[in-house]
């Protein structure tokens, strides 16, 4: 089986063949740290986190890079409004970004290069472009000369004449062509600056991503990803800069996720339907938010509205219940026992066959351009069966071994989907279980010694910590409130 993905560059699904066999260089455009990021930007962070973890699961050695744009017009504007240095704004929202992606269950990238820490590298790129005639200097600014790159617009497929005629291109008299873009911007009064061969100034955003990608992943990388809104001009310009410098293909596969709409309207701050990921994380659990993104194919639009959100909440709950049912059922069971088919009824045999079959179906869905909705459908069919078996009154050791295999598969999937809370607030669940069991045993002992006051105290204090004790003739069990 081979993995296929949709390549924006060729506008078709292609078999994934990395530049270097077995290795994947993966770049995702990171945030501009001038504010808390909005829920629309959480989408690429979550879906591409799942994809790179999935690639690792499929045996590739993945190096994942995400840049942090810590100098930019928006940061400067915010800093001037508040009367603080721009690096303070950048630091504050860089910290917030890390907090929020951690809460979203996103695994850290291998490198988070910052623009301000790579000024020399960016100047080096611009110098090379000036030297080979693809960039020109005007009054402290350096522009990229789009007419020098014959393949300009190959990613977006845009028609250059139409673009030039379009009103959306702001005309700047100093540029030779309205499509030419700034590689280096001269510092205006009150703006932060760095020394360069063209005077004091700062780098353009597009130059930053070309440099970070090539520096940390090489001149030709496998996957460069981002939101669909980055295709033009950002990614188009990255290609123009990088390929004009190296003469080599910059990126083999371009991947773009669809928009997130709020109640059908494209989400943007200017429309005042802004909702930060931070706001959303206060109202919804991490698994629910991840399920919400994964229930839709990453390339399609997604609507951020109450109905799909409630559906995601219920779905995440279902997954959690199924997982915990398995976990409890397999408590104190030796799970290393291998399945002995001879000891299974034919019904149990077909359940035993379901695990490898589901694994296969899941991989087939994910290998088809990361079709997460289909992969999730495989998961739901699977947990319907695991629930049925885990709820049985009695299970033979051979059947328990089948159930243990089923739980392993859920763990396997969850290792990159991150849709089941297998740990309580970042703490190892087994340890939490162990600690609460000590308290339950002490309560039991207190009651046996007729010290009911202490027994009640333990119950009361555990409840305050969100732990509910359920007593039954078989003993005491606990659950989260
Ligand atoms: Zn970028």
């Amino acid at each position: 089986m081979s993995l296929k993905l949709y390549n924006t560059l060729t506008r078709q699904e292609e078999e994934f063949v990395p530049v270097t066999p077995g290795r994947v260089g993966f770049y995702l455009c990171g945030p501009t740290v001038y504010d808390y990021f909005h829920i629309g930007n959480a989408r690429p962070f979550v879906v591409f986190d799942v994809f790179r973890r999935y690639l690792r699961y499929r045996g590739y050695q993945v190096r994942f890079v995400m840049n942090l744009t810590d100098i930019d017009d928006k940061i400067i504007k915010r800093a001037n409004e508040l009367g603080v240095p721009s690096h303070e704004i950048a630091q504050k929202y860089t910290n917030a970004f890390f907090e929020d992606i951690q809460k979203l269950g996103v695994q850290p990238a291998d490198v988070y290069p910052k623009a301000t820490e790579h000024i020399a590298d960016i100047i080096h790129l611009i110098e090379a472009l000036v030297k080979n005639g693809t960039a020109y200097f005007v009054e402290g600014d350096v522009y990229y000369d789009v007419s020098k790159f014959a393949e300009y617009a190959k990613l977006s497929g845009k028609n250059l004449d139409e673009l030039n005629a379009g009103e959306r291109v702001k005309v700047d008299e100093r540029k030779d062509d309205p499509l030419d873009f700034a590689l280096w911007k001269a510092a205006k009064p009150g703006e932060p600056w760095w020394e360069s061969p063209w005077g004091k100034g700062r780098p353009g955003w597009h130059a930053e991503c070309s440099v970070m990608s090539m520096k940390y992943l090489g001149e030709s990388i496998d996957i460069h990803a981002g939101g669909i809104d980055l295709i033009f001009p950002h990614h188009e310009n990255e290609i123009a800069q990088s390929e004009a410098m190296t003469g080599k293909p910059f990126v083999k596969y371009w991947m773009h996720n669809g928009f997130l709409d709020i109640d059908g309207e494209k989400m943007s701050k200017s429309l005042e339907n802004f909702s930060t990921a931070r706001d959303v994380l206060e109202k919804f659990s991490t698994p629910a938010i991840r399920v919400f993104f994964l229930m839709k194919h990453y390339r399609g639009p997604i609507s951020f509205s109450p109905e799909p959100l409630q559906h995601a909440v219920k779905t995440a709950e279902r997954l959690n219940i199924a997982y915990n049912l398995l976990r409890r059922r397999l408590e104190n069971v030796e799970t290393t026992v291998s399945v002995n088919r001879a000891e299974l009824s034919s019904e149990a045999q077909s359940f035993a066959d379901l695990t490898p079959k589901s694994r296969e179906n899941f991989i087939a869905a994910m290998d088809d351009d990361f079709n997460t909705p289909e992969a999730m459908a495989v998961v739901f069919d699977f947990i319907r069966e695991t629930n049925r078996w885990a709820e049985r009154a009695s299970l033979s050791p051979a059947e328990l071994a089948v159930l243990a295999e089923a739980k392993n598969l859920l763990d396997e999937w969850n290792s990159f989907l991150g849709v089941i809370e297998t740990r309580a607030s970042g703490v190892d669940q087994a340890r939490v279980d162990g600690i609460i069991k000590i308290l339950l045993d002490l309560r039991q002992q207190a009651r046996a010694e007729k010290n009911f006051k202490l027994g009640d105290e333990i119950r009361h204090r555990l409840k305050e910590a969100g732990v509910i004790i359920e007593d039954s003739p078989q003993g005491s069990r606990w659950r989260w409130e």
Side-chain angles (χ1 to χ4, degrees):
M1 273 192 300
S2 68
L3 194 147
K4 288 198 182 101
L5 49 84
Y6 182 86
N7 189 353
T8 310
L9 185 64
T10 57
R11 291 163 193 82
Q12 60 187 4
E13 243 184 52
E14 288 177 20
E15 192 183 332
F16 179 64
V17 183
V19 177
T20 308
R23 287 170 183 264
V24 178
F26 198 146
Y27 187 96
L28 175 63
C29 288
T32 299
V33 284
Y34 73 105
D35 204 343
Y36 300 112
F37 62 85
H38 59 75
I39 188 67
N41 282 353
R43 188 178 188 190
F45 299 151
V46 169
V47 296
F48 294 114
D49 170 54
V50 170
F51 300 166
R52 70 132 163 170
R53 278 151 81 173
Y54 177 72
L55 288 169
R56 208 165 278 166
Y57 166 75
R58 293 288 274 128
Y60 293 102
Q61 209 177 318
V62 184
R63 185 164 161 85
F64 187 72
V65 175
M66 194 198 285
N67 67 305
L68 298 172
T69 303
D70 61 347
I71 184 71
D72 173 271
D73 290 342
K74 291 195 270 280
I75 298 171
I76 295 169
K77 184 169 174 271
R78 174 61 62 91
N80 289 343
E81 280 165 9
L82 298 173
V84 296
S86 60
H87 65 82
E88 260 179 39
I89 296 292
Q91 191 56 56
K92 177 181 173 184
Y93 291 108
T94 298
N95 295 343
F97 164 75
F98 284 126
E99 282 169 25
D100 293 348
I101 56 163
Q102 196 197 358
K103 280 190 218 141
L104 283 168
V106 170
Q107 280 190 354
D110 297 299
V111 196
Y112 287 108
K114 291 180 176 176
T116 58
E117 290 170 4
H118 294 76
I119 302 292
D121 299 299
I122 297 170
I123 289 174
H124 178 72
L125 167 88
I126 302 171
E127 276 184 310
L129 294 174
V130 170
K131 209 170 156 195
N132 74 18
T134 31
Y136 59 93
F137 171 76
V138 187
E139 297 164 20
D141 293 339
V142 181
Y143 291 102
Y144 186 97
D145 183 349
V146 166
S147 71
K148 295 281 167 59
F149 187 64
E151 292 179 279
Y152 192 75
K154 67 176 170 182
L155 180 69
S156 58
K158 286 189 187 286
N159 179 316
L160 290 189
D161 295 333
E162 278 173 22
L163 273 177
N164 269 324
E167 290 171 287
R168 288 189 299 156
V169 181
K170 235 197 277 170
V171 179
D172 181 338
E173 295 295 315
R174 297 178 310 161
K175 295 197 281 187
D176 293 347
D177 183 311
L179 288 175
D180 291 353
F181 56 91
L183 296 165
W184 186 263
K185 299 176 178 181
K188 295 187 194 98
E191 285 187 359
W193 53 265
W194 288 263
E195 286 292 357
S196 83
W198 316 285
K200 291 171 180 166
R202 61 192 164 89
W205 172 42
H206 314 306
E208 171 192 337
C209 275
S210 278
V211 165
M212 306 302 195
S213 177
M214 293 194 283
K215 175 162 180 157
Y216 292 97
L217 297 168
E219 290 177 343
S220 294
I221 73 161
D222 299 293
I223 300 173
H224 195 114
I228 199 168
D229 53 328
L230 295 186
I231 295 176
F232 189 88
H234 184 52
H235 288 160
E236 198 73 76
N237 292 352
E238 283 188 43
I239 294 175
Q241 295 161 158
S242 309
E243 299 192 355
M245 179 175 167
T246 67
K248 296 174 190 164
F250 174 48
V251 171
K252 201 164 174 187
Y253 305 95
W254 284 93
M255 294 181 72
H256 295 97
N257 65 275
F259 277 128
L260 179 136
D261 301 336
I262 286 193
D263 285 332
E265 210 176 343
K266 186 192 151 192
M267 186 158 157
S268 97
K269 284 189 92 172
S270 57
L271 296 173
E272 289 185 62
N273 52 11
F274 179 73
S275 224
T276 63
R278 187 164 279 227
D279 294 337
V280 177
L281 277 159
E282 272 182 21
K283 295 180 194 95
F284 299 94
S285 71
T286 301
I289 297 169
R290 292 178 72 95
V291 164
F292 171 74
F293 287 128
L294 298 174
M295 293 291 278
K296 285 270 182 193
H297 191 270
Y298 76 96
R299 285 197 287 118
I302 196 165
S303 178
F304 191 75
S305 47
E307 211 177 302
L309 271 166
Q310 278 317 319
H311 179 63
V313 168
K314 287 214 180 83
T315 306
E317 265 171 25
R318 257 174 74 199
L319 289 166
N320 201 42
I321 289 167
Y323 185 81
N324 280 311
L325 198 59
L326 283 172
R327 200 167 52 82
R328 280 201 296 272
R329 192 65 207 241
L330 291 164
E331 250 165 8
N332 310 318
V333 170
E334 180 62 70
T335 52
T336 51
V337 179
S338 59
V339 174
N340 185 351
R341 292 185 69 90
E343 291 174 20
L344 294 173
S345 66
S346 65
E347 192 197 5
Q349 278 186 14
S350 59
F351 178 47
D353 294 338
L354 185 68
T355 300
K357 185 76 203 139
S358 300
R359 180 184 283 113
E360 221 172 86
N361 292 342
F362 184 97
I363 288 174
M366 287 296 280
D367 276 2
D368 180 18
D369 192 28
F370 302 109
N371 193 333
T372 56
E374 241 179 76
M376 294 293 276
V378 174
V379 177
F380 300 138
D381 287 344
F382 186 66
I383 62 168
R384 201 169 301 129
E385 276 303 291
T386 65
N387 282 345
R388 210 164 66 80
W389 281 86
E391 278 164 352
R392 291 201 172 187
S394 78
L395 290 170
S396 70
E399 286 165 343
L400 283 168
V402 176
L403 211 58
E405 282 199 344
K407 179 178 171 287
N408 287 345
L409 182 59
L410 275 186
D411 280 321
E412 203 174 294
W413 286 336
N414 199 49
S415 70
F416 46 87
L417 295 176
V419 291
I420 302 169
E421 202 92 71
T422 56
R423 289 152 178 257
S425 34
V427 182
D428 191 328
Q429 186 62 44
R431 288 192 188 186
V432 173
D433 286 346
I435 293 162
I436 294 179
K437 185 161 186 315
I438 293 171
L439 290 165
L440 293 185
D441 287 349
L442 288 173
R443 176 170 166 265
Q444 199 53 45
Q445 197 181 322
R447 280 153 51 113
E449 289 165 7
K450 306 237 183 288
N451 188 347
F452 297 112
K453 192 164 170 265
L454 180 61
D456 288 346
E457 173 79 2
I458 293 173
R459 169 192 280 275
H460 180 67
R461 294 289 295 276
L462 279 171
K463 186 169 188 302
E464 280 179 348
V467 174
I468 303 292
I469 301 175
E470 285 164 350
D471 293 316
S472 77
Q474 286 80 39
S476 301
R477 282 184 167 273
W478 72 274
R479 61 175 172 84
W480 292 113
E481 197 170 16

